[in-house]
């Protein structure tokens, strides 16, 4: 039997807390030799040279079977860019690998916001929950007598377990929560009201004989989630265990102290489980999506002391992402990007994804963001050659950092990907997915790669080399979150000067990720397995 170290996975929130610590880590400098001057240097594959007109030395489009051959794209890129008046001492691309889609055609695809209405919520909710068993409007602040009593019973059990474990410090808190619930119990309804017009945002119903709570975005958008109503230890009890949560395996865990089932015991094969997940995403109105990740589903059991004592592997986790022209979109989280991080707001470019959890009983939970739909309009494209792209980048990236200054003295992009990215149009509510070069700077942690949460990011339209303004894109999407405070992260004057302080290469700024926890639209899908009520 494999083991799992108690100290690192000792309670329900350990893995999520670890991720939040990673998100809050600011950049540590990448060691390397500084290139002198601002000339473009060292970018390319050994057998590619560039001609004066910007095409590859082999004629640019001589290899029509790949984007690399057509546009002279190298396997890696190490080049220093002009920093202009941005105040950055070094601006460079240092990507060991240049990632390119396996296609030769990247047309622009136009999309628009999905309409959100009572009718669309009704259609989705009734597709997921079993209508013949009854669907009701759920209100956590106005629960039924039975649900309130269940919570009282859980708090009393947790209070008893804490005391048995020598912890009496929380007794007064439990007493307060229990007292409030008992007051609420006096006037609680016996039943939840029927959903009727589906004007609410939370619903309760059944799937395969079990109660589920389903949340739908009550504003313009297409996000939602569904999960078991009962606590997971009630759903999946184990002798001597105080609680359980589920997650994907954490590569940082040292499997040393708790029993782990030797293999996935799910009664569905991976293919059968994926079929269940495929069917689910159709029910919530997700189309044009591709499966991007599949992992085993781990169940972590812990005792009264919070330490993990057993781990079962039962089920699978399927992650789907928006696909354009059969290519998945790549949307790193924007809220942690230093030059657009603010004290009074958060920039969010939501990734259109869906994560579905399936165990031996079927769907356990799911969460999704799907707020755009295609209009049917597409445009064919010709991309800039790689040489032309670098010439544009040499000017445009510095100008972008002049408009949105960063606190970092050095910006060294260590990831360079060609893919689809969203761009606003002149028509309100309409956007377009364009082929774009996504440059990010992220940190390698000891047990994971923080590529999803870059500290620097610049997105270049691959057709003309212009920088996509992430701040303005977020505002156009309606996903920019204002904290309504009087302070801002930086004071940028018309001439581009900034009052912000700089961050040296060796400065640890792990506590300086302003407003990060407020960006709910870009947060990770809930893999902790806590109940929907929690």
């Amino acid at each position: 039997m494999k083991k799992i170290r108690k100290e690192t996975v000792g309670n329900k929130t350990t893995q999520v807390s670890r991720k939040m610590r990673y998100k809050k880590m600011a950049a540590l400098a990448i060691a390397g030799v500084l290139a002198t001057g601002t000339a473009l240097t060292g970018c390319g594959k050994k057998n590619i040279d560039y001609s004066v007109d910007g095409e590859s030395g082999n004629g640019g489009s001589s290899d029509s079977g790949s984007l690399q051959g057509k546009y002279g794209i190298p396997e890696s890129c190490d080049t220093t860019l002009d920093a202009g008046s941005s105040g950055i001492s070094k601006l460079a691309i240092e990507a060991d690998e240049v990632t390119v889609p396996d296609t030769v055609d990247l047309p622009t695809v136009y999309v628009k916001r999905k309409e959100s209405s009572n009718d669309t919520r009704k259609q989705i909710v009734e597709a997921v929950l079993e209508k013949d068993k009854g669907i009701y409007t759920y209100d956590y602040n106005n629960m039924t007598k039975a649900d309130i009593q269940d919570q009282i019973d859980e708090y009393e059990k947790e209070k008893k377990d804490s005391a048995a474990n020598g912890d009496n410090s929380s007794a007064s808190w439990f007493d307060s929560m229990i007292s409030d619930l008992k007051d609420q119990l006096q006037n609680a309804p016996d039943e939840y009201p029927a959903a009727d017009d589906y004007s609410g945002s939370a619903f309760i119903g059944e799937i395969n004989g079990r109660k589920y709570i389903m949340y739908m975005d009550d504003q313009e958008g297409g996000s939602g989630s569904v999960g078991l109503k009962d606590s997971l230890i009630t759903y999946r009890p184990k002798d001597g265990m105080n609680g359980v949560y589920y997650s994907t395996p954490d590569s940082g865990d040292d499997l040393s102290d708790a029993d782990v089932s030797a293999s996935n015991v799910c009664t569905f094969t991976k293919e059968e489980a994926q079929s269940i997940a495929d069917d689910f995403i159709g029910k919530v109105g997700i189309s044009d999506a591709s499966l991007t990740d599949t992992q085993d589903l781990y169940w972590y059991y812990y005792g009264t002391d919070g330490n993990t004592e057993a781990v079962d592997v039962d089920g699978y986790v399927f992650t789907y992402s928006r696909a354009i022209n059969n290519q998945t979109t790549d949307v790193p989280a924007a809220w942690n990007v230093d030059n657009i991080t603010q004290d009074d707001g958060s920039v969010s470019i939501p990734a259109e994804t869906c994560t579905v959890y399936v165990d031996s009983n079927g769907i356990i939970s799911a969460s999704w963001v799907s707020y755009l739909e295609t209009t049917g309009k597409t445009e064919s494209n010709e991309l800039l050659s790689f040489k032309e792209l670098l010439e544009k980048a040499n000017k445009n990236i510095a100008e972008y950092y002049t408009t949105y200054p960063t606190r970092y003295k050095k910006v060294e992009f260590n990831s360079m990907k060609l893919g689809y990215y969203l761009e606003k149009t002149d028509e309100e509510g309409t956007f377009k997915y364009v082929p774009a070069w996504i440059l990010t700077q992220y940190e390698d942690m000891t047990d994971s790669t923080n590529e999803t949460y870059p500290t620097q990011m610049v997105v270049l339209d691959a057709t003309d080399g212009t920088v996509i303004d992430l701040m303005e894109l977020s505002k156009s999407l309606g996903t920019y979150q204002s904290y309504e405070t009087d302070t801002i992260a930086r004071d940028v004057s018309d001439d581009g000067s900034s009052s912000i302080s700089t961050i040296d290469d060796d400065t640890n700024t792990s506590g300086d990720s302003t407003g990060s926890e407020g960006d709910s639209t870009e947060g990770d899908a809930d893999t902790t397995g806590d109940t929907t009520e929690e």
Side-chain angles (χ1 to χ4, degrees), residues 278-295:
D278 289 345
D279 181 60
F280 177 85
I281 68 170
K283 290 179 178 179
V284 297
I286 295 176
S287 58
D288 300 322
S290 296
L291 182 67
T292 56
D293 188 46
T294 302
Q295 296 192 59

Side-chain angles (χ1 to χ4, degrees), residues 198-217:
Y198 288 83
S199 58
S201 60
F203 307 91
I204 186 169
E206 289 190 22
I207 302 175
N208 296 329
R210 291 184 174 82
K211 294 284 188 181
Y212 284 75
I213 296 177
M214 185 171 179
Y215 291 95
M216 295 289 294
D217 187 353

Side-chain angles (χ1 to χ4, degrees), residues 55 66 117 132 187 195 234 272 306 350 382 439 470 487 502 512 526:
E55 301 297 336
S66 71
S117 66
D132 60 337
N187 299 313
T234 301
E272 290 170 338
E382 280 297 321
L439 307 177
L470 301 181
T487 59
T502 59
D512 191 26
D526 179 11

Side-chain angles (χ1 to χ4, degrees), residues 55-116:
E55 301 297 336
S56 69
N58 294 324
S61 59
S62 60
D63 179 6
S64 60
S66 71
L67 291 170
Q68 291 94 330
K70 186 175 182 180
Y71 297 110
I73 300 171
E75 293 178 347
S76 63
C77 186
D78 185 357
T79 188
T80 301
L81 303 173
D82 185 0
S85 59
S86 65
I88 301 172
S89 63
K90 181 185 178 183
L91 183 59
I93 303 172
E94 298 177 353
D96 292 336
E97 179 182 5
V98 176
T99 305
V100 179
D102 185 17
T103 183
V104 293
D105 186 25
L106 292 174
T108 293
V109 177
Y110 285 78
V111 294
K112 64 180 181 180
R113 289 196 189 97
K114 287 183 176 178
E115 292 185 6
S116 179

Side-chain angles (χ1 to χ4, degrees), residues 384 387-397 464-466:
L384 295 178
K387 181 180 179 181
E388 291 170 332
L389 173 80
L390 292 182
E391 290 172 350
K392 295 286 187 180
N394 198 43
K395 174 178 179 289
N396 294 343
I397 294 179
D464 59 16
T466 57

